[in-house]
Amino acid sequence: MNSQDTCILIVEDDVQIRNFIAYTLKGEGIQPVLAGSGKEAFSLLESQQFDLLLLDLGLPDMDGSQIIQQVRKNSDIPILVLSARDQDREKVSTLDLGADDYLTKPFSSAELLARIRVALRHMSKWSREKEETAFQVGELKIDLDKRLVELSGEQIHVTPMEYNLLALFFKHIGKVLTTGYILKQVWGVDYCSDTQALRTLMAALRRKIEKNPAKPRYIMTEVGVGYRLIDE
């Protein structure tokens, strides 16, 4: 993470947590800007640019989901949600609204910084490589222009559906994709509740790209939420 000139907005009403996060970021050379309410957050978002938004859901004047919806109308800024709500449906709902990741309280400074690195790296990568069509994670490579998939330098055969699924993950490296989002993108709206179809397709794809499908290296399962293509 290139911390120089990185500015992160922290929207959190708990003073102790807010100060803990600010202290952690300052230790990495990152500039934190603090907000304790949704109203204050909107004011700051309108007046200056940020590299990432750390957002608590339980704000005193509004739910954080309202901020996500408003921000996503005109911005691709990475949004990392911080919340004590640990139920899967809350995570799924938040991610479907447009958040990039979800961190459940309490969390360590190491875990927080790791998630921030992934979010910032993902945004930076796509800012630099918008015109590129070939991407690689570890030994796994995809060429979106030629529709080719390679593993350890060898081309592997994937079905059209497997390719579409893998391409979707490469377009969102490091980001948790919910089951509902994947189904809509790969199959369409009519299949948005057919989770068994996704599990079957995922199992088939893992058999082709993973040395040990039971312990995947590339596409990780986020239990109760969805899947994530790791960002190495």
Side-chain angles (χ1 to χ4, degrees):
M1 174 169 47
N2 183 6
S3 54
Q4 288 188 350
D5 300 322
T6 299
C7 185
I8 293 179
L9 176 59
I10 305 168
V11 186
E12 167 65 66
D13 66 320
D14 187 304
V15 176
Q16 287 188 325
I17 295 177
R18 194 167 66 223
N19 290 341
F20 161 72
I21 296 173
Y23 177 81
T24 299
L25 296 186
K26 287 179 181 178
E28 296 294 313
I30 299 172
Q31 178 186 352
V33 176
L34 312 181
S37 67
K39 182 179 180 180
E40 190 176 358
F42 280 130
S43 177
L44 288 166
L45 287 166
E46 290 174 357
S47 63
Q48 63 185 102
Q49 295 291 319
F50 298 98
D51 298 290
L52 186 142
L53 171 60
L54 291 177
L55 177 64
D56 178 33
L57 293 182
L59 299 173
D61 56 344
M62 66 180 68
D63 193 90
S65 61
Q66 295 174 262
I67 297 178
I68 297 173
Q69 290 176 298
Q70 187 63 34
V71 169
R72 279 294 173 256
K73 290 181 179 179
N74 51 28
S75 175
D76 291 326
I77 181 176
I79 300 175
L80 174 54
V81 167
L82 311 174
S83 179
R85 308 173 191 174
D86 60 356
Q87 294 185 348
D88 291 341
R89 66 173 180 271
E90 291 281 358
K91 297 179 182 179
V92 171
S93 174
T94 300
L95 293 166
D96 279 341
L97 284 175
D100 293 84
D101 208 345
Y102 193 111
L103 193 54
T104 303
K105 299 175 183 178
F107 49 82
S108 66
S109 58
E111 185 177 13
L112 173 64
L113 290 172
R115 300 292 185 94
I116 289 175
R117 289 189 191 99
V118 169
L120 291 176
R121 190 161 58 238
H122 178 250
M123 175 57 70
S124 175
K125 182 180 297 183
W126 280 95
S127 296
R128 296 193 313 267
E129 303 177 352
K130 286 181 179 178
E131 303 302 321
E132 295 188 18
T133 60
F135 302 94
Q136 185 166 348
V137 172
E139 298 298 317
L140 182 62
K141 181 179 179 180
I142 190 170
D143 190 315
L144 301 178
D145 188 35
K146 298 178 181 178
R147 293 182 66 86
L148 296 177
V149 178
E150 294 182 1
L151 184 63
S152 302
E154 298 290 332
Q155 183 178 338
I156 61 174
H157 172 74
V158 292
T159 67
M161 291 294 286
E162 290 167 352
Y163 173 85
N164 290 340
L165 179 61
L166 189 59
L168 181 66
F169 281 114
F170 267 99
K171 291 176 182 177
H172 300 279
I173 295 175
K175 180 177 180 179
V176 179
L177 302 184
T178 65
T179 298
Y181 178 80
I182 297 171
L183 287 169
K184 289 178 182 178
Q185 295 298 313
V186 177
W187 278 274
V189 177
D190 292 341
Y191 289 85
C192 64
S193 62
D194 193 355
T195 56
Q196 182 56 48
L198 176 56
R199 285 194 292 269
T200 299
L201 184 64
M202 183 63 68
L205 179 60
R206 278 175 167 163
R207 284 195 293 269
K208 295 180 179 180
I209 67 173
E210 303 284 3
K211 290 184 179 180
N212 183 356
K215 296 181 179 179
R217 172 188 177 188
Y218 295 110
I219 302 177
M220 310 303 293
T221 300
E222 299 286 339
V223 179
V225 180
Y227 301 89
R228 181 203 307 258
L229 175 63
I230 63 166
D231 183 357
E232 295 185 325

